[in-house]
Amino acid sequence: MELTTLLFLGFFAAVALLNYTLPRVLRPYCLLAASYLFYCWGANDRLLVPVLVAATLATWGCGLVIGKCRIGPVRVIFLLLAVFTCVGLLFYYKYWNLLAADILSGTVLQPRTDMVTPLGLGYFTLAALSYTVDVYKRRCKVELNPLHYALFVSFFPTMTTGPIERYPHFRPQIHKSRRFSYTRCAGGAFRMLWGYTKKMVLADNMNLYIKMVYDTPAEMNGPNLVAATLLFSLRLYLDFSGCCDIAIGAARILGYDLLENFHSPFEATSFAGLWQRWHMSLTGWLRDYIYIPLGASRCNVVRHMLNTLIVFAVSGLWHGADLRYLEWGIACGVISVIAQLSKAPRKVLWRYNPLYREPAVQTFLQRCITYLLFSFTMVFFASAIYNAAPGEVFAGIRLARVVIGQPGGIESERIFPKELQNSDGTEQRDRRAEHIQHPCRRTRKAPHQTKAQHIERNREQPLVPRAAEPCFLPPRREQTGDQRTEQIPQQQPLRKAWPRERRRPSNEGQLQPEQDGQRAVSARQPEEQAGFCLRNLCVAAGSGPEQEHGEHQAEIEARQPCERVLLHACLLGNL
């Protein structure tokens, strides 16, 4: 029974109504019966109820002996018995085929095709195992009532998506049931509504595009793979946190407070900070029951880094029986190790980074980098979910590979349509380059043609360049005589606007003769010549005599057409 179905809503409404009509002493037993009914609803899960019962009774019995006995070796033996029971159930029902087929390759163990994993196996085994360890460490009292303990292990809102509960947090709520509260029930209903919105409205619609891309990663281009990878991290958060919100809201309506599982993980400014906000019930369990017993950071650097890698590898295997989940865990562990080793140098570099002078810019950039690193690791996770090859996904994300065409600029190599490829897949790059350099050789689609006919017609056309067709730039025209060659104007080096005029050494207030000034003008560039001529003609036109206009007429006629127009306009405007 899934949490997003109308069947679950009807089942939950009936359980909540019955729960508040019974006396508070009987409410835990009502919820225990509802939890086992929820577990037995599926045909396959109904056959695996003995697994849940065996795990419950074995861990409760071991915890009872550990709590009542004061002999150290006996307590250790029963602790190991509880650990072997939970780990053995996980190994047999979840990792048998992984070990037999992928690791041992069928040499020692044979894979079983009829193996069915019990519902919520990863959640209730970790919860039961945490109880025995807490009793051994004397963090909580031993539970004498097996039915109360069975409710803790099989509480139906946490059975499918968590969060992973701890018995010291759950035990007081079982022994003291709450009265009906409208405010509490309204808050739980709103939390469930928000969870349904994140799961069914946002995550499921995003999953349509991501699944389409990851189903055939070899046929997708780079931008689609990048977009799907970045969206998958957000989609996984919305999906998982939405289901946790539904479970937390349902438990709140029933009178129970569960542990929070997410706390705005994408607001973290570091990779370690993201994992402190992501799936907090699992990361807290791994920290308390694996990382700290291994030594945590109380040992040398090599041992500390090894402990980090072990914890992330276990986290990857817990998510699924696939080597890609293990690769995802190892990738997260490697990034965490690099982040820990480079923490001090990065703090020194932050002082000299001009972008980090503003706290808002620093926070934004750190969040973006953290999200990109997390999305990079999620390629393995998404490949395991959609049964894709991580190598094909990483090979498809090739944003740096481009084809540079002469008139077309830079284009992505993987965006070109399939019709530009040969039937045997050869000479693909040459044909694409020709398509960029000569795009006018492709015919337009006729009104009576379909898209398939148009593509087939372009495919049958020869790819020999046509010399008669115009190109993007006009051809150069060579002219004879004194006329200048017309070509594409090239950018000239910048010069000073107006150089200082030379003065006579004897008469400082007078300019040099006209011959010297004309020689200086002729040595300039055409644009500067026009500027000098305009200046001289404007001075001459301002004096008034018409004969000076005739003297400059020959000089105007010797210029280019564009310069003549400017000179005539300036001269006539001042006359």
Side-chain angles (χ1 to χ4, degrees), residues 35 54 133 189 333:
S35 298
V133 176

Side-chain angles (χ1 to χ4, degrees), residues 104-354:
L104 299 179
S105 301
T107 56
V108 179
L109 301 177
Q110 296 298 326
R112 300 181 58 181
T113 58
D114 57 344
M115 183 73 69
V116 179
T117 303
L119 178 65
L121 178 64
Y123 292 100
F124 70 75
T125 51
L126 293 187
L129 187 58
S130 67
Y131 165 74
T132 56
V133 176
D134 289 340
V135 172
Y136 179 81
K137 295 288 186 180
R138 303 190 187 280
R139 297 171 184 168
C140 69
K141 297 180 180 180
V142 62
E143 180 57 58
L144 301 178
N145 191 340
L147 298 182
H148 286 181
Y149 177 74
L151 175 61
F152 160 73
V153 175
S154 63
F155 190 50
F156 72 92
T158 64
M159 185 60 66
T160 56
T161 59
I164 304 171
E165 270 296 321
R166 305 287 186 90
Y167 198 68
H169 178 260
F170 200 79
R171 184 176 184 272
Q173 304 180 67
I174 297 177
H175 289 274
K176 187 178 180 180
S177 299
R178 292 185 175 92
R179 295 180 179 180
F180 176 81
S181 173
Y182 174 79
T183 304
R184 183 182 183 82
C185 292
F190 181 79
R191 187 72 178 267
M192 291 182 67
L193 180 61
W194 177 234
Y196 281 118
T197 302
K198 291 198 294 186
K199 172 67 172 68
M200 303 180 68
V201 177
L202 299 176
D204 289 352
N205 288 318
M206 293 170 62
N207 186 50
L208 298 177
Y209 170 73
I210 299 171
K211 187 177 184 301
M212 179 190 68
V213 174
Y214 270 86
D215 281 346
T216 55
E219 300 178 3
M220 291 295 169
N221 52 43
N224 278 325
L225 289 170
V226 171
T229 302
L230 295 177
L231 285 176
F232 177 77
S233 301
L234 181 59
R235 176 255 164 188
L236 185 64
Y237 164 71
L238 293 173
D239 192 313
F240 200 4
S241 65
C243 293
C244 291
D245 288 338
I246 296 172
I248 294 173
R252 184 173 297 177
I253 293 176
L254 295 175
Y256 292 85
D257 291 328
L258 300 181
L259 297 174
E260 292 291 339
N261 221 11
F262 293 90
H263 182 62
S264 302
F266 297 136
E267 294 182 2
T269 57
S270 63
F271 197 75
L274 185 144
W275 274 103
Q276 292 174 2
R277 298 164 174 256
W278 180 278
H279 204 172
M280 294 184 294
S281 62
L282 175 64
T283 55
W285 195 98
L286 294 173
R287 179 193 64 238
D288 295 338
Y289 302 107
I290 295 181
Y291 183 67
I292 293 178
L294 287 176
S297 58
R298 303 184 306 272
C299 45
N300 55 43
V301 178
V302 177
R303 181 68 179 274
H304 181 202
M305 300 300 108
L306 182 60
N307 295 339
T308 303
L309 289 175
I310 291 174
V311 168
F312 277 102
V314 172
S315 173
L317 282 177
W318 179 85
H319 281 85
D322 196 302
L323 290 179
R324 286 166 288 195
Y325 288 113
L326 179 61
E327 294 171 355
W328 168 74
I330 294 175
C332 293
V334 169
I335 294 178
S336 298
V337 168
I338 295 174
Q340 293 176 10
L341 294 177
S342 62
K343 187 176 182 180
R346 282 187 288 113
K347 285 186 177 181
V348 176
L349 293 177
W350 290 350
R351 301 176 184 176
Y352 303 97
N353 191 346

Side-chain angles (χ1 to χ4, degrees), residues 509-526:
Q510 297 181 1
L511 298 174
Q512 287 187 353
E514 183 180 357
Q515 290 80 8
D516 296 339
Q518 187 66 28
R519 190 180 301 109
V521 171
S522 302
R524 303 291 179 182
Q525 297 294 334

